Amino acid sequence: MLDEFSPKVFIEKESSASFGECAIDERLKFALSNRGISRLYAHQCEAIGKIGEGKNIVIVAPTASGKTESYMLPAVLAALRGENVLVVYPTKALSRDQLARWREFSLLGVRAEIFDGDTSDYWREKIKGSPPQVLITNFDMLHFLLMQSRNLSPFWKNLRMVVVDELHTYSGVLGAHVSNIVWRLKRVCEKHQNAKKLQFVCCSATIANAQEFANAIFEEEFEGVQASGAPKPYVEHYVVNPGDESYTTTALKVVKELGKKTLLFGNSHAVVERLGVMAGDMGLSLAVYRAGLEMRERKEIEEEFRSGKVKILATTSALELGIDIGSVDAVVLAGFPGTITRFRQRVGRAGRKGQKAYAVYIARDNPLDQYFAESPERYLEGEPERCFVNPYNEAVSQAHVICASRDFPLADSELSGKRRERASELLQKGMLKRWGSRLIPSKDALRFVKESGIRSEAEPVEIVDANTGRKMGEREEHMAIRELHPGAIYLHGGVHYRGVEFDAKGKIAKIARDASAKGYYTSALHQKEYEALETIKEREVFGRTLYFGRMHIRDTVEGYALKDVYTQETVAKHPLAQELVHEFDTLGIWLDFEGEAHIGNFADGLHALEHVSISMMPAICGSDPAEIGGISYPSGAMAVYEGVAFGNGATAQIFEKYEKVMEMSADRLEKCACEKGCPKCIFSPMCGNNNRYLDKEAGLKIAKEVLKN
């Protein structure tokens, strides 16, 4: 199969189930029997036992391992005892998918309801008037529910168990929000005279530090449960390097040849939309499924795929999670998703009914994709990445201290450490004010609270149709200046738009339809500078000092390159009439390579080494590649920074494993077959210089000399 693509082929053998011994409450057996379940896996029994002992647990489970029963059965028993359960899923789609499972227990008198952004006003009032035993939501909505907690006072007063599914999705800055929301949740329950100690039950994909990550997010002690008892299907793995054509073109050709019910994963909205347009040009029937679709449209696509009316879905991480879309025979990955964890989650969607499964990995021309394509055992058998969080991110922590004062007035005794510092700063800024012995939000703070969300650390840029004035969406500022500047090509709903105006002060980007943009895309040309502000810790690596701390970043977009969508070749370059600048403080690491300055063409070599090392870092820290940036100077200074204001904790992981980054970088430079550099080793789509001033040979010499130390 797929012979024309000259793939590498690997077989993952099937494995049988390992069952445990644990009693199932007679009242629950009927629901399990309806699903054909008569026995529980060993890890399900272990999880149920620990939950019964009142422990906080994190269940580390691959896709289709039966994790839902591990927490659902104890949660239903808690509801039958008269206790309330809060269930938090990462997406609205997953909440609605799982609601049917919860409602299988309605005959026992257990009522489950969803309260999220898609819940109608009618149902919101019904829930407030009579709260269910099981309330399903997401952290975005929980953030606002806590500020209006009196509407659900009986629920908070009787809350005992909190279930958080897909914990690994909260790595990074979103995890900082989640950690602060959990702090507020505990406080709100206390204010509603809840004498129970909340019990937390989490599920995560397979990551290297699930227990440590849960401890950090919830500020509680957790025990881990490894889900290894579920059966696994027989999987044929194919690794394809596209050659001269684009990886998206190859991915669509592979899907067509497979001729099976397939999920085609892309790594961004833009890529998935592009796949949809290209599939139409190739006469391939394909539906696009991604976040941001209306619930009705989302449900229609899910049902059409489930029924077989649609056999190919191009999707983002929206279907990486456990939404039931029926049988899937094949998974095609258009590019490595950044981490081993996400790779395994996506591949795990195929063969869930026990049938033979196919997994095809289309490697892009970038260093990380090629690193794993060369040795697939690295993702098939290698150690998964670590999740990370910085709960005290300054901007995030300040926002939630304000929100906590809106939940209930804050007493000084309720604040400690960094949160006490944030409250003091907010008092000085006039965002908090004294009300007797307590702190309450000012009018400006109340306006901030009303508009605040947890998906962005700063006010986003609005995307507006220049011809109609209609708001079309939002984008974080650091991405907006690169994607929505005048002249930028922007895909929305499969339609090509051009940036026509960017109001940096008003945070509005205007775009207009442009049919002539079809077949092209743009890449921003920008310059970056950094300044180290504070060293938090340091250590010796390779005979030099590696620093981790606070830094200031200035990113200036000066122009853009117009590129062919099929070949990625640069067609033209255009300067901007007015530069766009984004500045922020963040966390990062920095070190000096001046000891290698004697190597010929040193500056270009260091630039090349910076590119390849940045590309490797997601495999170490588990971050999205877009969350990490790099800067190198001809003097020998190099810095790696976190792309969000005040940092998300990613570079703290890199700081601890920098030696591995250098080893991986040298390996990629040495094994790449090109002579002077290519996208598979040192070219980066994020390069502000459009991949000029690079020297592969000099970069390899620097890496080898460093490793000798």
Side-chain angles (χ1 to χ4, degrees):
M1 185 177 286
L2 306 180
D3 291 340
E4 69 171 283
F5 301 100
S6 303
K8 294 179 182 178
V9 184
F10 299 86
I11 303 300
E12 189 175 358
K13 294 182 179 179
E14 61 188 328
S15 62
S16 56
S18 172
F19 293 100
E21 296 295 331
C22 56
I24 302 173
D25 190 288
E26 290 295 329
R27 293 170 293 179
L28 308 182
K29 283 186 177 180
F30 80 95
L32 294 177
S33 63
N34 287 341
R35 290 189 164 271
I37 300 172
S38 58
R39 300 174 65 189
L40 296 178
Y41 299 134
H43 64 269
Q44 292 174 325
C45 289
E46 181 185 357
I48 290 169
K50 289 188 174 183
I51 294 171
E53 294 169 8
K55 295 177 178 178
N56 299 320
I57 69 165
V58 55
I59 304 164
V60 181
T63 305
S65 60
K67 63 179 180 179
T68 303
E69 286 75 22
S70 300
Y71 64 75
M72 189 173 283
L73 299 183
V76 170
L77 289 176
L80 291 173
R81 291 194 300 268
E83 297 174 333
N84 290 339
V85 179
L86 179 68
V87 185
V88 185
Y89 292 112
T91 66
K92 292 182 287 187
L94 186 56
S95 292
R96 274 157 180 76
D97 181 76
Q98 292 295 302
L99 179 61
R101 300 283 302 274
W102 287 101
R103 285 186 169 168
E104 290 173 6
F105 299 96
S106 60
L107 290 175
L108 298 177
V110 175
R111 181 169 152 240
E113 300 288 356
I114 293 177
F115 199 123
D116 64 16
D118 286 343
T119 304
S120 68
D121 290 341
Y122 171 79
W123 275 108
R124 291 187 184 197
E125 292 306 314
K126 290 272 287 186
I127 291 169
K128 291 174 186 176
S130 177
Q133 296 106 318
V134 179
L135 184 65
I136 300 170
T137 189
N138 51 57
F139 279 111
D140 300 77
M141 180 55 69
L142 182 57
H143 166 60
F144 289 104
L145 288 177
L146 294 176
M147 288 187 279
Q148 302 166 5
S149 65
R150 293 163 186 81
N151 291 329
L152 289 169
S153 183
F155 182 83
W156 307 122
K157 184 177 182 179
N158 204 35
L159 179 61
R160 166 60 177 151
M161 185 184 296
V162 180
V163 177
V164 178
D165 198 12
E166 310 290 358
L167 180 67
H168 64 283
T169 62
Y170 302 113
S171 187
V173 73
L174 184 56
H177 283 288
V178 169
S179 184
N180 280 278
I181 290 170
V182 169
W183 165 65
R184 290 168 52 205
L185 171 65
K186 295 175 187 176
R187 180 172 176 265
V188 162
C189 288
E190 289 176 2
K191 297 297 182 183
H192 286 284
Q193 284 79 53
N194 185 338
K196 302 178 179 70
K197 178 173 172 55
L198 296 185
Q199 181 181 16
F200 296 96
V201 177
C202 303
C203 293
S204 170
T206 305
I207 57 175
N209 64 331
Q211 194 172 337
E212 173 192 320
F213 184 56
N215 291 347
I217 289 275
F218 295 91
E219 298 179 283
E220 302 275 354
E221 288 298 316
F222 277 74
E223 290 193 11
V225 174
Q226 295 291 328
S228 55
K232 295 179 181 178
Y234 177 96
V235 185
E236 282 187 9
H237 289 269
Y238 295 82
V239 181
V240 175
N241 255 312
D244 294 333
E245 66 186 6
S246 72
Y247 75 97
T248 46
T249 301
T250 300
L252 290 168
K253 287 182 177 179
V254 165
V255 168
K256 192 170 186 177
E257 183 171 328
L258 282 172
K260 300 183 181 298
K261 204 172 180 189
T262 303
L263 290 181
L264 170 56
F265 281 99
N267 292 331
S268 69
H269 286 192
V271 169
V272 169
E273 290 281 6
R274 198 187 313 158
L275 285 167
V277 173
M278 293 170 68
D281 293 342
M282 294 170 64
L284 189 63
S285 179
L286 173 153
V288 171
Y289 186 102
R290 60 172 178 79
L293 297 177
E294 293 294 328
M295 181 173 64
R296 177 186 54 78
E297 185 178 3
R298 193 169 62 227
K299 284 295 182 185
E300 285 178 3
I301 295 172
E302 289 171 13
E303 182 53 39
E304 287 178 349
F305 187 78
R306 197 179 290 115
S307 67
K309 185 177 180 181
V310 170
K311 292 191 174 181
I312 306 167
L313 282 187
T315 182
T316 58
S317 57
L319 283 180
E320 187 177 298
L321 307 178
I323 297 171
D324 182 9
I325 51 171
S327 179
V328 177
D329 300 316
V331 167
V332 176
L333 291 90
F336 190 74
T339 69
I340 292 173
T341 297
R342 301 187 79 172
F343 189 101
R344 291 175 180 169
Q345 283 288 100
R346 294 180 180 190
V347 168
R349 296 312 308 262
R352 294 179 68 169
K353 305 298 182 183
Q355 77 273 35
K356 180 179 178 180
Y358 300 85
V360 186
Y361 165 37
I362 313 295
R364 293 169 297 179
D365 282 348
N366 71 47
L368 189 61
D369 278 42
Q370 293 300 316
Y371 178 80
F372 284 106
E374 280 176 358
S375 304
E377 68 275 6
R378 288 167 173 161
Y379 64 76
L380 292 174
E381 303 167 6
E383 180 182 341
E385 299 77 14
R386 301 170 65 84
C387 283
F388 55 91
V389 65
N390 172 22
Y392 301 109
N393 172 297
E394 186 175 329
V396 173
S397 185
Q398 278 196 354
H400 286 284
V401 168
I402 293 173
C403 292
S405 74
R406 173 65 180 83
D407 300 341
F408 284 94
L410 268 169
D412 290 336
S413 60
E414 295 180 280
L415 296 164
S416 61
K418 294 290 185 182
R419 290 192 180 104
R420 182 182 287 273
E421 291 178 21
R422 299 290 90 85
S424 177
E425 293 163 1
L426 290 165
L427 266 171
Q428 293 177 14
K429 293 178 181 178
M431 295 293 278
L432 292 181
K433 61 182 182 180
R434 289 284 178 188
W435 184 61
S437 62
R438 298 180 182 270
L439 298 171
I440 61 173
S442 65
K443 288 183 178 179
D444 287 342
L446 286 172
R447 279 193 292 271
F448 166 81
V449 163
K450 187 177 180 181
E451 299 170 357
S452 67
I454 68 171
R455 295 289 166 172
S456 175
E457 77 285 354
E459 184 183 351
V461 173
E462 283 192 9
I463 306 171
V464 176
D465 188 312
N467 295 317
T468 65
R470 178 174 65 93
K471 180 179 176 180
M472 301 175 65
E474 296 178 341
R475 202 75 171 106
E476 291 89 348
E477 184 179 0
H478 72 282
M479 296 303 295
I481 65 169
R482 300 185 191 184
E483 297 178 359
L484 295 161
H485 55 75
I489 295 173
Y490 187 77
L491 265 177
H492 181 85
V495 178
H496 290 79
Y497 289 80
R498 282 264 192 187
V500 295
E501 183 182 337
F502 194 101
D503 180 357
K505 188 174 181 180
K507 295 191 183 297
I508 295 174
K510 293 183 178 180
I511 60 176
R513 286 196 180 205
D514 185 354
S516 68
K518 187 175 181 180
Y520 301 97
Y521 70 99
T522 51
S523 178
L525 302 175
H526 57 111
Q527 296 290 338
K528 296 177 290 185
E529 303 168 80
Y530 85 93
E531 177 187 358
L533 301 176
E534 177 192 2
T535 298
I536 295 174
K537 53 185 175 179
E538 60 186 75
R539 69 184 184 92
E540 290 299 306
V541 295
F542 305 122
R544 70 207 68 209
T545 304
L546 175 67
Y547 300 92
F548 168 74
R550 292 176 55 245
M551 57 172 57
H552 181 77
I553 303 296
R554 178 184 172 90
D555 190 3
T556 304
V557 176
E558 301 170 336
Y560 63 95
L562 181 68
K563 298 189 176 186
D564 185 285
V565 73
Y566 293 97
T567 66
Q568 279 86 56
E569 291 182 359
T570 298
V571 177
K573 295 178 185 176
H574 301 280
L576 293 184
Q578 183 175 353
E579 295 178 345
L580 297 175
V581 179
H582 178 58
E583 295 189 69
F584 59 101
D585 290 347
T586 188
L587 296 173
I589 61 172
W590 61 94
L591 71 168
D592 208 299
F593 291 84
E594 61 182 9
E596 289 73 37
H598 63 277
I599 292 173
N601 208 13
F602 169 73
D604 291 1
L606 188 63
H607 188 195
L609 181 59
E610 174 219 322
H611 275 198
V612 69
S613 61
I614 292 289
S615 297
M616 295 299 170
M617 287 175 185
I620 299 296
C621 67
S623 72
D624 187 288
E627 292 180 341
I628 302 175
I631 302 171
S632 60
Y633 293 132
S635 64
M638 182 191 290
V640 178
Y641 65 89
E642 298 167 12
V644 296
F646 304 107
N648 57 25
T651 54
Q653 304 291 327
I654 297 166
F655 176 81
E656 300 296 340
K657 292 195 172 185
Y658 190 76
E659 291 88 345
K660 180 65 175 175
V661 172
M662 190 58 65
E663 290 168 7
M664 292 171 68
S665 302
D667 179 85
R668 179 84 288 268
L669 289 170
E670 191 161 31
K671 289 182 178 177
C672 187
C674 73
E675 290 186 17
K676 296 186 177 181
C678 69
K680 295 179 180 180
C681 56
I682 62 174
F683 290 179
S684 167
M686 305 298 288
C687 181
N689 289 307
N690 201 33
N691 291 305
R692 294 175 296 166
Y693 317 119
L694 295 167
D695 189 316
K696 175 190 174 184
E697 183 180 356
L700 179 58
K701 286 180 179 178
I702 295 170
K704 284 186 172 181
E705 188 157 316
V706 167
L707 287 170
K708 285 180 183 177
N709 296 321

PDB file of all heavy atoms in Angstrom, residues 626-651:
ATOM      1  N   ALA A 626       4.698  27.439  18.056  1.00  0.00           N
ATOM      2  CA  ALA A 626       4.480  28.885  17.956  1.00  0.00           C
ATOM      3  C   ALA A 626       4.652  29.593  19.296  1.00  0.00           C
ATOM      4  O   ALA A 626       4.707  30.817  19.347  1.00  0.00           O
ATOM      5  CB  ALA A 626       3.079  29.158  17.407  1.00  0.00           C
ATOM      6  N   GLU A 627       4.751  28.828  20.404  1.00  0.00           N
ATOM      7  CA  GLU A 627       4.867  29.433  21.730  1.00  0.00           C
ATOM      8  C   GLU A 627       6.310  29.741  22.113  1.00  0.00           C
ATOM      9  O   GLU A 627       6.565  30.299  23.173  1.00  0.00           O
ATOM     10  CB  GLU A 627       4.253  28.505  22.787  1.00  0.00           C
ATOM     11  CG  GLU A 627       2.741  28.367  22.678  1.00  0.00           C
ATOM     12  CD  GLU A 627       2.169  27.436  23.732  1.00  0.00           C
ATOM     13  OE1 GLU A 627       2.939  26.628  24.297  1.00  0.00           O
ATOM     14  OE2 GLU A 627       0.963  27.510  23.992  1.00  0.00           O
ATOM     15  N   ILE A 628       7.270  29.343  21.263  1.00  0.00           N
ATOM     16  CA  ILE A 628       8.684  29.552  21.578  1.00  0.00           C
ATOM     17  C   ILE A 628       9.330  30.366  20.464  1.00  0.00           C
ATOM     18  O   ILE A 628       9.097  30.112  19.283  1.00  0.00           O
ATOM     19  CB  ILE A 628       9.430  28.211  21.715  1.00  0.00           C
ATOM     20  CG1 ILE A 628       8.798  27.350  22.797  1.00  0.00           C
ATOM     21  CG2 ILE A 628      10.897  28.433  22.048  1.00  0.00           C
ATOM     22  CD1 ILE A 628       9.409  25.972  22.901  1.00  0.00           C
ATOM     23  N   GLY A 629      10.140  31.335  20.832  1.00  0.00           N
ATOM     24  CA  GLY A 629      10.872  32.126  19.855  1.00  0.00           C
ATOM     25  C   GLY A 629      12.351  32.140  20.187  1.00  0.00           C
ATOM     26  O   GLY A 629      12.752  31.842  21.312  1.00  0.00           O
ATOM     27  N   GLY A 630      13.166  32.485  19.195  1.00  0.00           N
ATOM     28  CA  GLY A 630      14.609  32.525  19.419  1.00  0.00           C
ATOM     29  C   GLY A 630      15.243  33.756  18.810  1.00  0.00           C
ATOM     30  O   GLY A 630      14.730  34.327  17.842  1.00  0.00           O
ATOM     31  N   ILE A 631      16.363  34.178  19.391  1.00  0.00           N
ATOM     32  CA  ILE A 631      17.122  35.334  18.908  1.00  0.00           C
ATOM     33  C   ILE A 631      18.604  35.004  19.048  1.00  0.00           C
ATOM     34  O   ILE A 631      19.028  34.469  20.082  1.00  0.00           O
ATOM     35  CB  ILE A 631      16.810  36.603  19.730  1.00  0.00           C
ATOM     36  CG1 ILE A 631      15.307  36.924  19.695  1.00  0.00           C
ATOM     37  CG2 ILE A 631      17.615  37.794  19.222  1.00  0.00           C
ATOM     38  CD1 ILE A 631      14.902  38.027  20.671  1.00  0.00           C
ATOM     39  N   SER A 632      19.391  35.301  18.013  1.00  0.00           N
ATOM     40  CA  SER A 632      20.847  35.154  18.126  1.00  0.00           C
ATOM     41  C   SER A 632      21.513  36.390  17.532  1.00  0.00           C
ATOM     42  O   SER A 632      20.994  36.993  16.591  1.00  0.00           O
ATOM     43  CB  SER A 632      21.328  33.888  17.406  1.00  0.00           C
ATOM     44  OG  SER A 632      21.006  33.919  16.032  1.00  0.00           O
ATOM     45  N   TYR A 633      22.653  36.751  18.109  1.00  0.00           N
ATOM     46  CA  TYR A 633      23.402  37.926  17.667  1.00  0.00           C
ATOM     47  C   TYR A 633      24.793  37.505  17.181  1.00  0.00           C
ATOM     48  O   TYR A 633      25.350  36.507  17.668  1.00  0.00           O
ATOM     49  CB  TYR A 633      23.550  38.926  18.811  1.00  0.00           C
ATOM     50  CG  TYR A 633      22.259  39.563  19.271  1.00  0.00           C
ATOM     51  CD1 TYR A 633      21.946  39.631  20.622  1.00  0.00           C
ATOM     52  CD2 TYR A 633      21.365  40.113  18.362  1.00  0.00           C
ATOM     53  CE1 TYR A 633      20.776  40.228  21.064  1.00  0.00           C
ATOM     54  CE2 TYR A 633      20.190  40.714  18.788  1.00  0.00           C
ATOM     55  CZ  TYR A 633      19.895  40.768  20.137  1.00  0.00           C
ATOM     56  OH  TYR A 633      18.730  41.362  20.564  1.00  0.00           O
ATOM     57  N   PRO A 634      25.378  38.250  16.243  1.00  0.00           N
ATOM     58  CA  PRO A 634      26.732  37.929  15.760  1.00  0.00           C
ATOM     59  C   PRO A 634      27.778  37.874  16.873  1.00  0.00           C
ATOM     60  O   PRO A 634      28.810  37.218  16.731  1.00  0.00           O
ATOM     61  CB  PRO A 634      27.029  39.074  14.782  1.00  0.00           C
ATOM     62  CG  PRO A 634      25.683  39.511  14.295  1.00  0.00           C
ATOM     63  CD  PRO A 634      24.784  39.369  15.487  1.00  0.00           C
ATOM     64  N   SER A 635      27.513  38.536  18.002  1.00  0.00           N
ATOM     65  CA  SER A 635      28.453  38.530  19.124  1.00  0.00           C
ATOM     66  C   SER A 635      28.564  37.164  19.784  1.00  0.00           C
ATOM     67  O   SER A 635      29.518  36.885  20.513  1.00  0.00           O
ATOM     68  CB  SER A 635      28.007  39.548  20.173  1.00  0.00           C
ATOM     69  OG  SER A 635      26.745  39.168  20.718  1.00  0.00           O
ATOM     70  N   GLY A 636      27.549  36.290  19.558  1.00  0.00           N
ATOM     71  CA  GLY A 636      27.544  34.968  20.181  1.00  0.00           C
ATOM     72  C   GLY A 636      26.426  34.781  21.189  1.00  0.00           C
ATOM     73  O   GLY A 636      26.224  33.681  21.702  1.00  0.00           O
ATOM     74  N   ALA A 637      25.685  35.834  21.499  1.00  0.00           N
ATOM     75  CA  ALA A 637      24.570  35.718  22.445  1.00  0.00           C
ATOM     76  C   ALA A 637      23.380  35.040  21.771  1.00  0.00           C
ATOM     77  O   ALA A 637      23.062  35.322  20.615  1.00  0.00           O
ATOM     78  CB  ALA A 637      24.167  37.099  22.947  1.00  0.00           C
ATOM     79  N   MET A 638      22.734  34.127  22.501  1.00  0.00           N
ATOM     80  CA  MET A 638      21.531  33.468  22.003  1.00  0.00           C
ATOM     81  C   MET A 638      20.494  33.416  23.122  1.00  0.00           C
ATOM     82  O   MET A 638      20.843  33.175  24.284  1.00  0.00           O
ATOM     83  CB  MET A 638      21.809  32.047  21.509  1.00  0.00           C
ATOM     84  CG  MET A 638      20.565  31.350  20.924  1.00  0.00           C
ATOM     85  SD  MET A 638      20.778  29.571  20.623  1.00  0.00           S
ATOM     86  CE  MET A 638      21.910  29.595  19.252  1.00  0.00           C
ATOM     87  N   ALA A 639      19.237  33.643  22.765  1.00  0.00           N
ATOM     88  CA  ALA A 639      18.153  33.587  23.745  1.00  0.00           C
ATOM     89  C   ALA A 639      16.987  32.802  23.175  1.00  0.00           C
ATOM     90  O   ALA A 639      16.745  32.801  21.964  1.00  0.00           O
ATOM     91  CB  ALA A 639      17.701  34.998  24.119  1.00  0.00           C
ATOM     92  N   VAL A 640      16.277  32.128  24.050  1.00  0.00           N
ATOM     93  CA  VAL A 640      15.030  31.440  23.711  1.00  0.00           C
ATOM     94  C   VAL A 640      13.970  31.983  24.656  1.00  0.00           C
ATOM     95  O   VAL A 640      14.174  32.000  25.876  1.00  0.00           O
ATOM     96  CB  VAL A 640      15.157  29.914  23.888  1.00  0.00           C
ATOM     97  CG1 VAL A 640      13.828  29.236  23.579  1.00  0.00           C
ATOM     98  CG2 VAL A 640      16.261  29.365  22.996  1.00  0.00           C
ATOM     99  N   TYR A 641      12.856  32.448  24.110  1.00  0.00           N
ATOM    100  CA  TYR A 641      11.844  33.088  24.953  1.00  0.00           C
ATOM    101  C   TYR A 641      10.466  32.474  24.737  1.00  0.00           C
ATOM    102  O   TYR A 641      10.195  31.841  23.716  1.00  0.00           O
ATOM    103  CB  TYR A 641      11.792  34.592  24.670  1.00  0.00           C
ATOM    104  CG  TYR A 641      11.340  34.955  23.275  1.00  0.00           C
ATOM    105  CD1 TYR A 641       9.989  35.139  22.967  1.00  0.00           C
ATOM    106  CD2 TYR A 641      12.270  35.117  22.244  1.00  0.00           C
ATOM    107  CE1 TYR A 641       9.578  35.459  21.686  1.00  0.00           C
ATOM    108  CE2 TYR A 641      11.867  35.443  20.957  1.00  0.00           C
ATOM    109  CZ  TYR A 641      10.518  35.611  20.683  1.00  0.00           C
ATOM    110  OH  TYR A 641      10.111  35.923  19.412  1.00  0.00           O
ATOM    111  N   GLU A 642       9.607  32.665  25.728  1.00  0.00           N
ATOM    112  CA  GLU A 642       8.225  32.209  25.654  1.00  0.00           C
ATOM    113  C   GLU A 642       7.386  33.304  25.007  1.00  0.00           C
ATOM    114  O   GLU A 642       7.467  34.464  25.404  1.00  0.00           O
ATOM    115  CB  GLU A 642       7.716  31.870  27.056  1.00  0.00           C
ATOM    116  CG  GLU A 642       8.514  30.734  27.686  1.00  0.00           C
ATOM    117  CD  GLU A 642       8.270  30.558  29.175  1.00  0.00           C
ATOM    118  OE1 GLU A 642       7.311  31.166  29.695  1.00  0.00           O
ATOM    119  OE2 GLU A 642       9.036  29.818  29.820  1.00  0.00           O
ATOM    120  N   GLY A 643       6.589  32.923  24.020  1.00  0.00           N
ATOM    121  CA  GLY A 643       5.900  33.907  23.195  1.00  0.00           C
ATOM    122  C   GLY A 643       4.656  34.514  23.785  1.00  0.00           C
ATOM    123  O   GLY A 643       3.868  35.115  23.060  1.00  0.00           O
ATOM    124  N   VAL A 644       4.436  34.362  25.093  1.00  0.00           N
ATOM    125  CA  VAL A 644       3.281  34.978  25.748  1.00  0.00           C
ATOM    126  C   VAL A 644       3.768  35.916  26.838  1.00  0.00           C
ATOM    127  O   VAL A 644       4.800  35.668  27.470  1.00  0.00           O
ATOM    128  CB  VAL A 644       2.329  33.923  26.349  1.00  0.00           C
ATOM    129  CG1 VAL A 644       1.728  33.063  25.267  1.00  0.00           C
ATOM    130  CG2 VAL A 644       3.046  33.048  27.364  1.00  0.00           C
ATOM    131  N   ALA A 645       3.041  36.986  27.054  1.00  0.00           N
ATOM    132  CA  ALA A 645       3.431  37.968  28.061  1.00  0.00           C
ATOM    133  C   ALA A 645       3.543  37.317  29.435  1.00  0.00           C
ATOM    134  O   ALA A 645       2.667  36.567  29.854  1.00  0.00           O
ATOM    135  CB  ALA A 645       2.417  39.109  28.099  1.00  0.00           C
ATOM    136  N   PHE A 646       4.655  37.573  30.107  1.00  0.00           N
ATOM    137  CA  PHE A 646       4.959  37.108  31.463  1.00  0.00           C
ATOM    138  C   PHE A 646       5.251  35.613  31.546  1.00  0.00           C
ATOM    139  O   PHE A 646       5.531  35.094  32.615  1.00  0.00           O
ATOM    140  CB  PHE A 646       3.851  37.502  32.452  1.00  0.00           C
ATOM    141  CG  PHE A 646       3.589  38.980  32.474  1.00  0.00           C
ATOM    142  CD1 PHE A 646       2.440  39.512  31.913  1.00  0.00           C
ATOM    143  CD2 PHE A 646       4.515  39.854  33.024  1.00  0.00           C
ATOM    144  CE1 PHE A 646       2.206  40.880  31.908  1.00  0.00           C
ATOM    145  CE2 PHE A 646       4.296  41.221  33.029  1.00  0.00           C
ATOM    146  CZ  PHE A 646       3.140  41.738  32.467  1.00  0.00           C
ATOM    147  N   GLY A 647       5.193  34.899  30.418  1.00  0.00           N
ATOM    148  CA  GLY A 647       5.673  33.525  30.367  1.00  0.00           C
ATOM    149  C   GLY A 647       4.663  32.472  30.753  1.00  0.00           C
ATOM    150  O   GLY A 647       3.696  32.732  31.464  1.00  0.00           O
ATOM    151  N   ASN A 648       4.904  31.247  30.241  1.00  0.00           N
ATOM    152  CA  ASN A 648       4.016  30.126  30.552  1.00  0.00           C
ATOM    153  C   ASN A 648       4.738  28.955  31.210  1.00  0.00           C
ATOM    154  O   ASN A 648       4.103  27.983  31.598  1.00  0.00           O
ATOM    155  CB  ASN A 648       3.301  29.642  29.285  1.00  0.00           C
ATOM    156  CG  ASN A 648       4.269  29.249  28.177  1.00  0.00           C
ATOM    157  OD1 ASN A 648       5.418  28.895  28.432  1.00  0.00           O
ATOM    158  ND2 ASN A 648       3.811  29.307  26.935  1.00  0.00           N
ATOM    159  N   GLY A 649       6.055  29.015  31.322  1.00  0.00           N
ATOM    160  CA  GLY A 649       6.803  27.960  32.001  1.00  0.00           C
ATOM    161  C   GLY A 649       7.533  27.002  31.080  1.00  0.00           C
ATOM    162  O   GLY A 649       8.252  26.119  31.548  1.00  0.00           O
ATOM    163  N   ALA A 650       7.391  27.153  29.754  1.00  0.00           N
ATOM    164  CA  ALA A 650       8.005  26.210  28.813  1.00  0.00           C
ATOM    165  C   ALA A 650       9.526  26.199  28.919  1.00  0.00           C
ATOM    166  O   ALA A 650      10.155  25.140  28.924  1.00  0.00           O
ATOM    167  CB  ALA A 650       7.582  26.544  27.385  1.00  0.00           C
ATOM    168  N   THR A 651      10.141  27.373  29.003  1.00  0.00           N
ATOM    169  CA  THR A 651      11.606  27.418  28.989  1.00  0.00           C
ATOM    170  C   THR A 651      12.213  26.913  30.295  1.00  0.00           C
ATOM    171  O   THR A 651      13.402  26.575  30.331  1.00  0.00           O
ATOM    172  CB  THR A 651      12.120  28.835  28.689  1.00  0.00           C
ATOM    173  OG1 THR A 651      11.546  29.768  29.619  1.00  0.00           O
ATOM    174  CG2 THR A 651      11.775  29.250  27.270  1.00  0.00           C
TER     175      THR A 651
END
